[in-house]
Amino acid sequence: MTVSAEAYLATVTSTMQRVATEQRANVAEAADLIVAALRADGVVHAFGTGHSEALAMEIAGRAGGLVPTNRIALRDLVLHGGESADVLGPKLEREPAVAHRLYEMAPVRPPDVFVLASNSGVNGAMVEFASIVKQRGHGLVAITSARHSARMTSRHPSGRKLADFADVVLDNGAPYGDATLPLPGGGAVGAVSSITAALLAQQITVEVVARLVAAGERPPVYLSANITGGDEHNAELEARYAGRIRRGS
């Protein structure tokens, strides 16, 4: 396969189409789970580590997205937990104990639902977090790579993976290793998981809003803060969820 921008575009396009087709039923199921939570006065909490944090940013706090959403991140240990910034590092996501502190610091209530993203689905913090979410009785949507996860050994003491805990599993369609265009000397370039995860996140959001509109309900959706009236519109909606959604971190 040629290594070029055009080849990558073709690969991304075909992968996105495959994901959109194969995951259609799972997207609908995830939307149903979230709608039920919102109608019970719940909030959607999104968590991803590494590049999967981009998924959480697609879910929580962006134009066209749902207002009752909260992003959880490893840096919450510093911003809200009083830890030194030195604690942050590339291997922190492998530590199961981190999950307990993150959950305890999050503004969680019983009806809340979680969307967790991990391409590999095997790191200790994410797997432990998923375990906690289900122990506490929350709904859980997982976005992961089925192909990558299947070839990995769990880094969690239980031997389980993110998908094992989820009520709904969405496959982001990424290959093992994430990158898609093989290089002549070995390795590959052109990762796709962030793009396909963003697609799934937006599809879920759109399906949630479609269900609310069909039922005659006004969906709590953000306007861009960079259009006239956006700040006022958003502040009014955010006030309904005071203390339950974090912004600016």
Side-chain angles (χ1 to χ4, degrees):
M1 183 182 293
T2 303
V3 177
S4 67
E6 290 76 13
Y8 178 66
L9 175 60
T11 298
V12 168
T13 301
S14 63
T15 302
M16 290 178 68
Q17 186 60 58
R18 174 168 54 84
V19 168
T21 300
E22 294 178 355
Q23 300 304 306
R24 183 176 292 118
N26 293 335
V27 166
E29 190 176 351
D32 288 339
L33 191 66
I34 291 172
V35 167
L38 295 181
R39 287 175 173 160
D41 194 33
V43 162
V44 182
H45 298 276
F47 177 41
T49 62
H51 283 88
S52 290
E53 187 177 348
L55 179 281
M57 296 175 72
E58 286 294 320
I59 294 285
R62 67 159 303 154
L66 295 165
V67 174
T69 51
N70 179 60
R71 176 159 49 100
I72 296 171
L74 290 175
R75 63 180 170 276
D76 289 351
L77 296 170
V78 177
L79 295 173
H80 306 291
E83 296 282 354
S84 165
D86 294 340
V87 73
L88 301 176
K91 293 187 177 181
L92 184 61
E93 65 181 355
R94 300 183 182 182
E95 299 297 330
V98 169
H100 292 269
R101 291 214 61 207
L102 290 174
Y103 182 90
E104 290 164 3
M105 288 187 297
V108 179
R109 293 187 183 179
D112 295 351
V113 64
F114 286 76
V115 180
L116 306 185
S118 170
N119 192 56
S120 68
V122 301
N123 282 316
M126 184 60 67
V127 176
E128 184 71 7
F129 198 95
S131 173
I132 295 168
V133 165
K134 292 314 300 175
Q135 288 171 15
R136 301 297 178 91
H138 303 289
L140 172 56
V141 177
I143 300 180
T144 189
S145 166
R147 289 163 66 188
H148 188 113
S149 190
R151 292 181 59 177
M152 293 290 292
T153 299
S154 176
R155 291 173 173 150
H156 188 270
S158 70
R160 301 178 73 182
K161 301 176 184 180
L162 170 60
D164 296 330
F165 293 94
D167 298 294
V168 184
V169 178
L170 293 162
D171 180 11
N172 67 25
Y176 178 70
D178 202 356
T180 57
L181 304 179
L183 297 173
V189 68
V192 296
S193 66
S194 296
I195 296 173
T196 53
L199 169 67
L200 290 168
Q202 291 297 337
Q203 286 187 309
I204 291 169
T205 299
V206 169
E207 286 294 316
V208 167
V209 170
R211 282 155 172 73
L212 296 176
V213 170
E217 302 171 46
R218 182 186 177 190
V221 173
Y222 275 112
L223 294 178
S224 169
N226 296 308
I227 66 172
T228 302
D231 285 341
E232 295 77 10
H233 169 90
N234 296 340
E236 178 183 351
L237 291 176
E238 286 180 340
R240 303 178 190 176
Y241 304 96
R244 303 182 64 193
I245 58 177
R246 292 171 177 160
R247 297 293 181 259
S249 61

